[in-house]
């Protein structure tokens, strides 16, 4: 099989496509032909050796994919050869074939194509865990989503809206805000042209928001924290801006606010039963038409560098997908 390999930490420009042996599933794993794989900002960090978990090179990056099952381990009970599947991997998605523990896989709903399946697991899994277990989001609450046109941000907008929240989508351009509006945002805030804290206060009648969803970090974090209402919750998702903020903790004290870190991968490993419940509930939302995974760009596997540029340069709207060609 062909695989995209990080031989040493550095730039995605240094990744190479090379031939690798086909992976063989372990007892609790399924092997599948990868039809589509999604990129995340975490992949850029992983390749650079800057992610919170460092995988020593050489390795195949990529953490979410969709495809067709080709083999199952001896202890696998939920899947069979030929099933269409979505996998939340721990690396290995950027290849023509991969393996995943069956606990972190789900059937690809009939209403979704492979590209939508690849766009699902990390973005929606992270956002749903953040709102459900992290913030205990309630219908009628107000959520501010930063980076609302990015992969996880757009999923957060759609999920918060589906969960009955009032959603303020914040992004850096009119184009990005239009994309967030399509996902279900109720209010739009261009933080390249509008002061974030003051605008949020205006939109909420002076009270502020109940929940901040922040995958961006940087200077926006403190502004968003200052826009939190009494006993609000600030969800730390990631740092796409490249800067980890240092929040004044007196802001949490004065508002009795909570700052909650969200690390979906580690939580999923520690709480497999809750993960299964979340996955089932997300599947039900797809089946009911309440959410529909979205992507804005799908490129051939050979054009991986351009796909990474869209993510690294923050030009992407929603998810960016790599397509693998297979002869059926």
């Amino acid at each position: 099989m062909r695989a995209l390999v990080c031989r040493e930490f550095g730039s995605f420009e240094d990744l190479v496509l090379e031939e690798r042996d086909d992976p063989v599933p372990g007892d609790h794993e399924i092997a599948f032909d990868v039809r589509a794989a999604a990129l995340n900002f975490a992949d850029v960090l992983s390749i650079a050796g800057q992610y919170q978990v460092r995988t020593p090179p050489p390795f195949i990056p990529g953490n979410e994919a969709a495809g067709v099952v080709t083999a199952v381990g001896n202890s696998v009970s939920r899947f069979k050869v030929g099933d269409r599947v979505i996998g939340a991997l721990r690396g290995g998605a950027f290849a023509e074939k991969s393996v995943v523990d069956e606990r972190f896989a789900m059937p690809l709903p009939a209403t979704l194509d492979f590209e939508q399946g690849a766009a699902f697991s990390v973005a929606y899994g992270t956002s749903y865990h953040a709102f459900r277990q992290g913030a205990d989001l309630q219908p009628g609450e107000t959520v501010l989503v930063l980076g609302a046109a990015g992969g996880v941000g757009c999923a957060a907008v759609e999920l918060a809206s589906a969960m009955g929240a009032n959603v303020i989508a914040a992004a850096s351009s009119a184009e990005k805000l239009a994309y967030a509006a399509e996902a279900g945002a109720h209010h739009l805030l261009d933080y390249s042209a509008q002061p974030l804290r003051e605008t949020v206060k205006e939109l909420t009648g002076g009270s502020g928001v109940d929940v901040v969803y922040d995958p961006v970090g940087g200077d926006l974090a403190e502004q968003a924290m200052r826009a939190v209402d009494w006993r609000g919750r600030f969800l730390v998702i990631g740092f796409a801006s490249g800067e980890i903020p240092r929040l004044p903790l007196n802001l949490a004290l004065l508002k009795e606010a909570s700052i909650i870190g969200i690390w979906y991968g580690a939580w999923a490993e520690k709480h497999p039963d809750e993960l299964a419940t979340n996955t089932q509930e997300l599947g039900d939302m797809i089946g009911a038409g309440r959410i529909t995974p979205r992507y804005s760009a799908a490129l051939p596997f050979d054009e991986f560098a351009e796909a990474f540029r869209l993510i690294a340069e923050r030009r992407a709207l929603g998810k960016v997908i790599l397509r693998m060609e297979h002869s059926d």
Side-chain angles (χ1 to χ4, degrees):
M1 69 169 188
R2 289 197 310 162
L4 192 59
V5 179
C6 175
R7 290 179 174 171
E8 59 184 23
F9 291 134
S11 168
F12 58 84
E13 302 279 1
D14 300 322
L15 297 174
V16 293
L17 280 171
E18 62 182 46
E19 287 292 328
R20 286 287 187 99
D21 292 336
D22 292 354
V24 177
D27 278 352
H28 297 278
E29 293 180 326
I30 60 173
F32 63 104
D33 283 341
V34 176
R35 302 302 179 88
L39 281 72
N40 295 284
F41 188 72
D43 297 317
V44 178
L45 296 177
S46 177
I47 291 161
Q50 298 173 354
Y51 192 58
Q52 52 254 44
V53 175
R54 286 166 60 98
T55 303
F59 66 91
I60 302 169
N63 296 315
E64 53 184 341
V68 179
V69 176
T70 56
V72 299
N74 292 331
S75 300
V76 170
S77 59
R78 296 174 50 232
F79 299 95
K80 65 182 185 304
V81 172
D83 285 348
R84 299 188 337 146
V85 67
I86 296 172
L89 291 73
R90 302 297 180 264
F94 299 153
E96 292 175 333
K97 299 176 183 293
S98 193
V99 295
V100 63
D101 189 307
E102 73 166 333
R103 294 177 300 163
F104 306 123
M106 65 176 282
L108 176 63
T111 56
L112 303 185
D113 59 29
F114 289 114
E115 290 80 6
Q116 289 173 300
F120 171 76
S121 58
V122 171
Y124 286 83
T126 297
S127 298
Y128 195 55
H129 164 53
F131 290 139
R132 195 173 183 278
Q133 283 84 25
D136 189 25
L137 181 64
Q138 299 298 309
E141 291 191 310
T142 299
V143 177
L144 169 64
V145 179
L146 304 181
V152 292
C154 190
V157 168
E158 187 177 14
L159 276 170
S161 179
M163 295 169 75
N166 181 45
V167 182
I168 302 172
S172 60
S173 72
E175 180 187 20
K176 290 180 177 180
L177 288 172
Y179 194 77
E182 292 174 2
H186 302 96
H187 304 282
L188 306 177
L189 193 164
D190 183 346
Y191 47 66
S192 70
Q194 299 169 281
L196 191 144
R197 175 180 176 273
E198 291 79 0
T199 305
V200 168
K201 289 285 190 176
E202 289 175 8
L203 291 171
T204 58
S207 62
V209 296
D210 300 291
V211 177
V212 172
Y213 181 99
D214 182 14
V216 179
D219 293 339
L220 291 173
E222 183 173 335
Q223 297 177 54
M225 186 65 183
R226 291 182 182 277
V228 169
D229 197 1
W230 177 256
R231 290 206 165 178
R233 291 89 79 200
F234 188 105
L235 300 171
V236 181
I237 309 299
F239 314 104
S241 69
E243 180 184 345
I244 298 176
R246 290 171 171 80
L247 292 174
L249 290 182
N250 65 306
L251 296 177
L253 182 153
L254 293 171
K255 298 168 181 283
E256 284 205 358
S258 301
I259 300 171
I260 303 165
I262 300 297
W263 186 3
Y264 177 57
W267 172 83
E269 291 275 3
K270 294 176 183 294
H271 302 279
D273 292 340
E274 288 182 84
L275 172 66
T277 299
N278 279 17
T279 301
Q280 180 61 54
E281 291 173 356
L282 285 168
D284 291 343
M285 287 186 187
I286 292 173
R290 295 171 60 198
I291 59 173
T292 303
R294 304 159 80 232
Y295 61 95
S296 62
L299 287 74
F301 196 16
D302 294 288
E303 296 180 21
F304 67 87
E306 176 57 24
F308 270 98
R309 286 188 200 100
L310 290 173
I311 297 292
E313 297 171 8
R314 299 183 65 184
R315 293 187 285 121
L317 299 176
K319 300 290 286 191
V320 177
I321 306 296
L322 288 175
R323 284 191 175 122
M324 318 299 177
E325 296 297 330
H326 289 270
S327 56
D328 294 318

